[in-house]
Amino acid sequence: MKVAFLGLGHMGLPMAKNLAAAGHEVVGFDVFPAAVEAAREAGLGVAQSGPDAVRQVAGDTGAVVITMFQTGAQVIAAYRGTDGTDGLLGAATSGTLFIDSSTIAVDEARAAHALAEAVGHRSIDAPVSGGVVGAENATLAFMVGGSDADFATAQPLLEAMGRRIVHCGGAGLGQAAKVCNNMILAVSQIAVAEAFVLGERLGLSHQALFDVASNASGQCWALTTNCPVPGPVPTSPANRDYQPGFAGSLMSKDLGLAEQAIDLTGVGARMGLLAREIYKEFADGAGAGQDFSGIINTIRAESTPA
Ligand code: NAD
């Protein structure tokens, strides 16, 4: 397939490379010139602008446009075009499939779908989890929102970049799944960290608590993969001074999107909103640059002296 890939950052560039490695013809663009240069060096086709990349693949039945930006505002601005400049939607041949893999708010994803549909295009939201390592190794998980037909068209491309592809429902429901999953993760990582600090104060060794909880009802990913103390899980970020992993700043961003969804729906999500507050403080302060499991050090710092 011919693919215009816009947004060649930490995630986008390795994803675009995997599409090319699977035999798709990729034309990339990023507003950051060094990212375009890196794509050129990797042997990808490059364009002068986003709409230029779209035009280079347009005309071909089945052309696809993938966006991998930071925010929903960037996606909507690029779809529409800004200050009278051409947008991605306007540059595409009618019926082009737009895949947005950026992590953005559910309502922003629905707005992007509506913009694409209004001018006769097809679209899916397809955010990912798995981080840069998953992007490089083509082992990402994709959570997809959109129609059955558009999901089916996208599937071979998503399979070239990922390992687990779940069609979650209609427009925006890929983003909904991502935000709900990450809210579970944030709350459970805080709960596990609090339990370890409480155990320390009670004289319980890290290993003993791990051996019990990992085989009991406290079992969860935050404990058995991302264990916030060094030792029990040698590969967890706690063993390398909390280098990410999954950066606290990204968790804070995702919880901001969860908060938007909570406000939109009126759900009484006290734990989710508290986790949002805790991770915002963490990412803006002591935890800047750290894996989100480093929250355990904040909990220790906030405990009364032993
Ligand atoms: P990044 O900042 O490295 O890359 C985004 C790129 O988009 C930048 O290079 C930027 O210049 C480019 N861009 C912005 N507007 C553009 C436009 N109009 N045209 C062309 N390029 C444009 O971010 P990232 O780490 O690659 O993350 C991308 C998305 O994936 C984010 O929404 C993030 O939340 C999500 N995500 C990231 C990770 C991760 O581990 N990094 C994991 C899961 C999901």
Side-chain angles (χ1 to χ4, degrees), residues 3 91 156 218 270:
V3 181
R270 279 200 269 169

Side-chain angles (χ1 to χ4, degrees), residues 109-131:
R110 289 184 172 147
H113 274 273
L115 285 172
E117 247 175 52
V119 290
H121 297 314
R122 307 160 65 192
S123 79
I124 60 169
D125 50 296
V128 301
S129 69

Side-chain angles (χ1 to χ4, degrees), residues 28 33 37 50 58 80 84 93 97-98 101 103 112 119 124 136 143 150 164 167 171 218 231 234 254-255 265 298 302:
E37 210 33 57
R80 276 198 178 124
T93 313
L97 176 64
F98 280 74
S101 280
T103 301
V119 290
I124 60 169
E136 284 168 351
M143 295 145 266
D150 295 345
R164 204 155 34 87
H167 186 196
D254 289 359
L255 289 169
T265 55
T298 306
E302 288 175 352

Side-chain angles (χ1 to χ4, degrees), residues 6-12 29-32 35 50 68-71 74 78 101-104 128-132 178 245-246 250 253-254:
L6 296 323
L8 302 165
H10 292 97
M11 300 292 287
F29 177 73
D30 193 295
V31 288
F32 185 47
M68 191 50 164
F69 302 156
Q70 286 156 339
T71 66
Q74 288 172 341
S101 280
S102 324
T103 301
I104 68 175
V128 301
S129 69
V132 175
K178 164 110 185 158
F246 185 45
L250 287 176
K253 175 199 164 179
D254 289 359

Side-chain angles (χ1 to χ4, degrees), residues 7 116 151 186 226 240 261:
F151 174 73
N226 219 41
R240 45 173 203 271

